[in-house]
Structures are given as C-alpha cells and as structure tokens.
Amino acid sequence: MAAVIELEQFRRKLAADQGFRTWLARFREEFGPQTRLCDLSDRTLLFLATPGDDHLYVIFDLVMGARGWGTSTRFILDDLPSQIKQQVLDISLRLLDYCRFEVLRRLGWVEELPEASQPLIVLVENLATAAPGGATPSPALRPDHPAFADYQQEIPSERQIFIRRLIPQGLTEFRQQVEAAPPTSS
C-alpha cells in the first residue's frame, strides 16, 4: 500500500513540475504539488482571476502541463486534437471560476468551497474527470455581507447567479487592495 501512495505522490510531483513550469518564471513564487488557491499571493490570484486571453492562457499552462499535454502554445497553434482542446477549455474555465470565488472569499464576501481547499493539481485532476460542461458550484454568501438579505430572498437556483454578479465588483475592489498594498520582497 505504501508503494501505491508513493507512486501517487511521485505522479503528482511530476504533474506539478510540468503544470507550474511557466508559473515559476512568470510569478516568481514557489509552487508545488501541495499548492492550493489559498496559498497563491494576492497578485498571482488577481492575475489569474482577471478577464483576458493572456490570463486564461496561464491557466491553460497549468492544466495542460499537469495533464501532460505541453503548454498553452500548443493550444494557440492548434496543435491538439479538438477533444483535448475542449477538455483544456472546460477545466480552465472551471478553474477560473474557482480563482474568482477565491477573490470573493479573500474579500470576506463568500464562504470557502470545500473543493477549493484541495491542492491545485488535485483540483485539475478532479475537474478532468468531472462531467464535461458542468457548472462550478458557487459558494454561499457570508451572512455579514451587506446584500445578504437580498441573497436570502433568491430561490436557491438563482443564488449562483447572484454570486456571479458580484465578481466584477469583487475584482475591482480586490485590485484596489492589491495595488494599495506595499510590494513584498522575495
């Protein structure tokens, strides 16, 4: 049994080495098989959660590297079968959701999703085996949020939409916090 666990840890380390290869140079931070969303610096999280192709391609790098499919360059150059490209896109968009929900959690607006506490490599693995096109569950709004009464009045299926509508404002406020914070020295 110990050999199986060691093999799994070795496999995850390889996935992390490949998945985080471009992140190490871009963000100049430490990443490994146990890195979780909550371990990312505010600046890195803000970059990942920000809309735009360049930002999404960085998530592609993690997903593609962790899955053994190379880097986002292969995606951009259309050097992948369409089924793999669709998987990369599905996993990356769901991971983007988790990044944005983490922004809202750091602002103190929402509760943490249990899945978000897993290492990123495990989260990518789990998203790869999830039903394609499935929606990322949204976190619950915290009771101390000013809009909690409005949130409570929504029917449960509309609460996910309510949370997603907070994302643009959350990104704006988080960006202001990050830009106002003194730079950290490495």
Side-chain angles (χ1 to χ4, degrees):
M1 185 66 168
V4 172
I5 292 171
E6 287 178 22
L7 184 61
E8 184 66 22
Q9 289 172 344
F10 179 73
R11 192 182 63 71
R12 285 206 176 120
K13 174 151 180 13
L14 284 177
D17 289 348
Q18 293 300 309
F20 291 124
R21 184 177 358 166
T22 61
W23 285 32
L24 293 168
R26 174 178 290 277
F27 300 118
R28 303 197 191 296
E29 294 178 28
E30 300 272 334
F31 304 103
Q34 298 305 316
T35 300
R36 301 165 299 161
L37 281 170
C38 65
D39 298 327
L40 300 178
S41 71
D42 287 346
R43 290 190 185 283
T44 296
L45 180 63
L46 177 61
F47 182 90
L48 296 172
T50 299
D53 286 347
D54 291 343
H55 303 268
L56 188 58
Y57 290 142
V58 173
I59 295 175
F60 283 5
D61 281 336
L62 171 63
V63 171
M64 292 179 67
R67 303 294 297 156
W69 296 327
T71 66
S72 61
T73 304
R74 289 190 69 200
F75 190 95
I76 296 166
L77 295 175
D78 205 20
D79 184 34
L80 292 168
S82 60
Q83 182 181 10
I84 300 250
K85 281 185 86 167
Q86 187 60 52
Q87 273 189 303
V88 169
L89 191 57
D90 285 347
I91 295 167
S92 298
L93 290 175
R94 292 181 76 184
L95 197 54
L96 175 61
D97 281 343
Y98 282 109
C99 290
R100 290 175 174 171
F101 294 150
E102 175 65 12
V103 165
L104 299 181
R105 186 196 68 76
R106 289 188 190 186
L107 289 171
W109 294 5
V110 298
E111 303 292 341
E112 181 178 39
L113 287 170
E115 307 87 45
S117 65
Q118 300 172 342
L120 283 165
I121 296 301
V122 173
L123 188 55
V124 168
E125 289 172 5
N126 292 343
L127 292 173
T129 59
T136 306
S138 65
L141 193 68
R142 289 179 47 113
D144 56 348
H145 189 277
F148 187 73
D150 296 332
Y151 173 79
Q152 284 292 96
Q153 291 179 353
E154 297 284 345
I155 60 173
S157 61
E158 295 294 316
R159 288 180 182 171
Q160 288 195 20
I161 296 167
F162 189 96
I163 296 295
R164 288 181 182 280
R165 286 185 182 142
L166 295 175
I167 291 172
Q169 179 188 358
L171 286 172
T172 299
E173 289 192 27
F174 192 66
R175 177 176 307 285
Q176 290 169 351
Q177 282 183 12
V178 169
E179 289 173 353
T184 58
S185 58
S186 346

